[in-house]
Amino acid sequence: MAYKFTIGDPVWAKMKGFSPWPGKIAFPAKEIKRPALKKPMHCIYFFGTKDYAWILEENIKPYHEFREEFMQKNRLLTFKDAVGQAEEYVKSHPEEKTSSSKKPRQKRALSDSSNTSSVSTKKKRSTVTRQIADEASGSAFHVSSSSTSPVENYYTHVNSSPSKYTGLLSRPSYVNRPVTPPLDVENVSDTLKQKNVKASDLKFGFLGLGIMGQGIVKNLLNSGHTVTIWNRTPRKCRDFVEAGAIQGQTPSDVVAASDITFSCVSDPQAAKELVFGNCGVLKEMKRNKGYVEMTSVDPETSQDIAEAIQAQGGRYLEAPVLGSKKPAEEGMLIILAAGDKSVFDDCTTCFQAMGKHAFYLGEVGSGSKMNLIVNMILGTTLGALAEAMALADRAGLSQKDLMEILGLGFLNCPIIIEKGQAIIEGTFGTNMPLQHMQKDLCLALEVGDQLEQPLPLAAAANEVYKHAKRFGYGDHDVSAVYLRARF
């Protein structure tokens, strides 16, 4: 049977992957874009979630006619809350109790049509639009044209008492990543002052001024080392040049001006492009020049770079680091080095400036493997933390209480406390990018495949991070994995 729906009609609407859910026909806000489909559609406001969505007309049924049938198909508490809201809506809008199928055609006002021009219809739409906005204003997550940011909406949700709007449909709007404040390059950390590093007379180069690279170069400069820098985005070099660094125009320029060159970029592909690309490292790699790869890469990539550097007469050391933004800025990283021992010895003062301990692990590949194994532990741990925080919230428990309990017990460790607090605050300012964690989990799984070592927990964690990355949170902090675990 074909039904004629009017703005404000209570209905049952079915989204793909969900059971029929109570809602009402809504006038769409400008933020809600209609899918490019030719089939009839209506904008639905879902009770109990404060969400809106465009639904095909064939997936919409009148509320009263199908009430008894659909209410038997879902036992979730959130569904019951939604039905309760629908019932309250129907009671407060007795004019909407008439079945949609019985309404006269002249009163039909399709939500995806703009052909009606009568004054009465315009007034009705205006009234319903304001009404919908008023009803949505009390929700932590809803689509509106207000100035409230998604982060503020998120914060309201996780720090209030457990919300009854916790159904699967109650996903938050996209949470914007806070702007990372600029690094004060000339500010010498207390940790570095206590180390009292005596700078080497060698000249050093550094390729890559990302989150980790900036902190490392800052400490190299503040400890008195001579550093030539390059970054794909030249403007990032400005503050470091003012602090005493020399800017190279290309990676090959940096290598030419340096005795030892460090590289710290995003992933294996970027690391190889620096070495093998146009105006890359190999162009100026000479005998006895050193090259230190600090990027978190797989053992095969590290081995390929090592062979290329050594073929030019150079010396190679892999030295991935453990830590994030704050440890990098304070000089508290852990260096996992492997390869040419003479390069390791020549970099001693640099490692003192940038880290609290430097391990020499032997042949090329050992450092990469150790780094991936440690990050695999970290990734699965933070994935478990995100699920625990999500479960606590859904169970009606305080997340703050959970973190206080963890802080007093044997699970008290800096990374869990730090990321737990980030989840509670809901800001997810980037200290350790989520996409980098997912990349390292993926690389660890590849090592497991090669060695025929089962890694079921890491594989499951990788899928969770992959899904969060697909939601658009790759550049957010790793703690944003909570948004996938919770919603």
Side-chain angles (χ1 to χ4, degrees), residues 355-419:
K356 60 182 178 181
H357 196 91
F359 290 87
Y360 179 75
L361 302 174
E363 298 180 351
V364 172
S366 299
S368 298
K369 292 174 185 175
M370 186 66 76
N371 175 64
L372 295 178
I373 290 171
V374 174
N375 281 338
M376 181 183 75
I377 297 173
L378 178 60
T380 53
T381 299
L382 295 183
L385 173 65
E387 289 191 353
M389 295 288 275
L391 180 59
D393 185 43
R394 193 171 293 278
L397 301 175
S398 167
Q399 293 179 337
K400 291 183 178 179
D401 287 347
L402 173 59
M403 293 312 303
E404 185 174 355
I405 292 169
L406 293 179
L408 294 173
F410 55 83
L411 286 175
N412 179 22
C413 70
I415 193 66
I416 287 181
I417 301 304
E418 174 190 332
K419 300 309 176 186

Side-chain angles (χ1 to χ4, degrees), residues 180 183 185 205-221 227-241 245-248 254 262-266 274 295 325 436:
T180 302
L183 177 66
V185 180
F206 204 96
L207 307 176
L209 294 174
I211 290 178
M212 302 298 288
Q214 289 185 33
I216 293 173
V217 172
K218 168 183 176 288
N219 286 314
L220 289 177
L221 291 173
V227 187
T228 302
I229 60 175
W230 174 89
N231 190 69
R232 192 179 302 276
T233 307
R235 62 181 174 80
K236 286 189 176 182
C237 298
R238 182 177 56 203
D239 292 341
F240 295 93
V241 171
I246 304 167
Q247 184 175 356
V254 174
F262 294 91
S263 168
C264 187
V265 289
S266 58
L274 281 184
T295 307
K325 182 176 181 290
H436 290 181

Side-chain angles (χ1 to χ4, degrees), residues 256-452:
S258 308
D259 298 308
I260 297 175
T261 302
F262 294 91
S263 168
C264 187
V265 289
S266 58
D267 53 42
Q269 183 61 36
K272 288 189 285 189
E273 287 177 359
L274 281 184
V275 176
F276 300 103
N278 186 35
C279 297
V281 169
L282 291 181
K283 183 178 180 181
E284 292 294 337
M285 181 57 62
K286 308 295 183 182
R287 184 173 181 81
N288 288 328
K289 281 185 176 289
Y291 190 72
V292 182
E293 185 57 80
M294 305 190 80
T295 307
S296 181
V297 300
D298 56 285
E300 288 71 24
T301 295
S302 186
Q303 188 63 51
D304 291 343
I305 295 175
E307 292 175 357
I309 296 296
Q310 292 165 357
Q312 297 291 105
R315 301 175 296 155
Y316 177 78
L317 184 77
E318 63 176 8
V321 295
L322 299 176
S324 57
K325 182 176 181 290
K326 187 175 181 180
E329 294 176 2
E330 295 183 351
M332 294 294 287
L333 298 171
I334 299 174
I335 297 97
L336 306 176
D340 194 312
K341 184 63 164 57
S342 65
V343 181
F344 180 82
D345 294 337
D346 288 342
C347 293
T348 298
T349 60
C350 294
F351 291 155
Q352 288 176 350
M354 67 179 72
K356 60 182 178 181
H357 196 91
F359 290 87
Y360 179 75
L361 302 174
E363 298 180 351
V364 172
S366 299
S368 298
K369 292 174 185 175
M370 186 66 76
N371 175 64
L372 295 178
I373 290 171
V374 174
N375 281 338
M376 181 183 75
I377 297 173
L378 178 60
T380 53
T381 299
L382 295 183
L385 173 65
E387 289 191 353
M389 295 288 275
L391 180 59
D393 185 43
R394 193 171 293 278
L397 301 175
S398 167
Q399 293 179 337
K400 291 183 178 179
D401 287 347
L402 173 59
M403 293 312 303
E404 185 174 355
I405 292 169
L406 293 179
L408 294 173
F410 55 83
L411 286 175
N412 179 22
C413 70
I415 193 66
I416 287 181
I417 301 304
E418 174 190 332
K419 300 309 176 186
Q421 186 60 36
I423 289 172
I424 292 173
E425 293 174 355
T427 54
F428 308 116
T430 307
N431 288 294
M432 180 188 302
L434 184 146
Q435 62 185 353
H436 290 181
M437 177 57 70
Q438 193 271 321
K439 177 258 298 182
D440 284 351
L441 283 169
C442 188
L443 294 179
L445 291 172
E446 291 179 4
V447 174
D449 286 343
Q450 295 168 4
L451 300 176
E452 297 184 355

Side-chain angles (χ1 to χ4, degrees), residues 98-229:
T98 305
S99 172
S100 300
S101 61
K102 298 179 182 180
K103 290 189 176 182
R105 177 175 294 274
Q106 61 267 28
K107 291 187 179 180
R108 184 184 181 192
L110 287 176
S111 57
D112 58 347
S113 171
S114 59
N115 296 330
T116 305
S117 59
S118 68
V119 175
S120 61
T121 302
K122 288 182 178 179
K123 288 183 177 179
K124 181 178 182 181
R125 285 183 176 176
S126 178
T127 301
V128 173
T129 301
R130 288 195 301 271
Q131 172 191 327
I132 291 173
D134 291 342
E135 290 176 352
S137 63
S139 170
F141 303 128
H142 62 274
V143 179
S144 71
S145 57
S146 70
S147 59
T148 304
S149 69
V151 171
E152 290 171 332
N153 286 334
Y154 175 93
Y155 184 85
T156 300
H157 173 71
V158 298
N159 288 280
S160 62
S161 58
S163 171
K164 64 179 180 179
Y165 306 124
T166 54
L168 293 177
L169 291 175
S170 186
R171 285 203 176 114
S173 302
Y174 179 78
V175 178
N176 291 317
R177 179 168 60 96
V179 176
T180 302
L183 177 66
D184 186 356
V185 180
E186 297 183 359
N187 180 33
V188 182
S189 69
D190 292 336
T191 303
L192 185 60
K193 291 177 181 177
Q194 295 173 5
K195 291 180 181 180
N196 194 26
V197 178
K198 183 178 180 181
S200 169
D201 293 331
L202 296 175
K203 296 179 180 180
F204 297 93
F206 204 96
L207 307 176
L209 294 174
I211 290 178
M212 302 298 288
Q214 289 185 33
I216 293 173
V217 172
K218 168 183 176 288
N219 286 314
L220 289 177
L221 291 173
N222 289 335
S223 58
H225 292 85
T226 300
V227 187
T228 302
I229 60 175

